[in-house]
Amino acid sequence: MAFIDTIPADAAAGDVAAMYEADRAALGFLPNFTRAYSHRPGVYAAWRGLNGSIKANMDERRTRSRRSPPPAACARATARSRTAACWRG
């Protein structure tokens, strides 16, 4: 049972169905954050606009991946699974 009540993909209609399909086409799956906005597609569209505006002014290296390479490299270098100690300096 989900903590947030969402509209299932098979029951989505109108703006919600379009929102789901757009993210599924772009990402290859339907992320949980998209489902979280299922009752407020207008808010989701505004969030996507803000997110896109922020990313448009960022270096491409920072927007390519969902995982940041520096923490992964830091964990490998220190042979730790957690990177908190590595980032403390």
Side-chain angles (χ1 to χ4, degrees):
M1 183 166 123
F3 180 72
I4 298 173
D5 178 43
T6 63
I7 298 173
D10 58 350
D15 291 341
V16 177
M19 176 176 82
Y20 281 5
E21 188 53 40
D23 277 6
R24 190 176 287 121
L27 302 170
F29 65 101
L30 184 60
N32 289 335
F33 66 81
T34 303
R35 292 178 186 152
Y37 285 102
S38 63
H39 290 287
R40 303 286 303 273
V43 174
Y44 181 67
W47 177 78
R48 290 292 301 237
L50 174 63
N51 193 21
S53 295
I54 292 169
K55 286 183 177 181
N57 294 312
M58 291 178 71
D59 185 4
E60 182 183 337
R61 292 175 294 156
R62 298 186 188 276
T63 61
R64 258 189 296 175
S65 172
R66 295 179 82 169
R67 299 189 189 275
S68 179
C74 186
R76 281 191 302 271
T78 59
R80 295 180 187 200
S81 60
R82 295 182 181 219
T83 59
C86 186
W87 283 102
R88 284 187 216 143

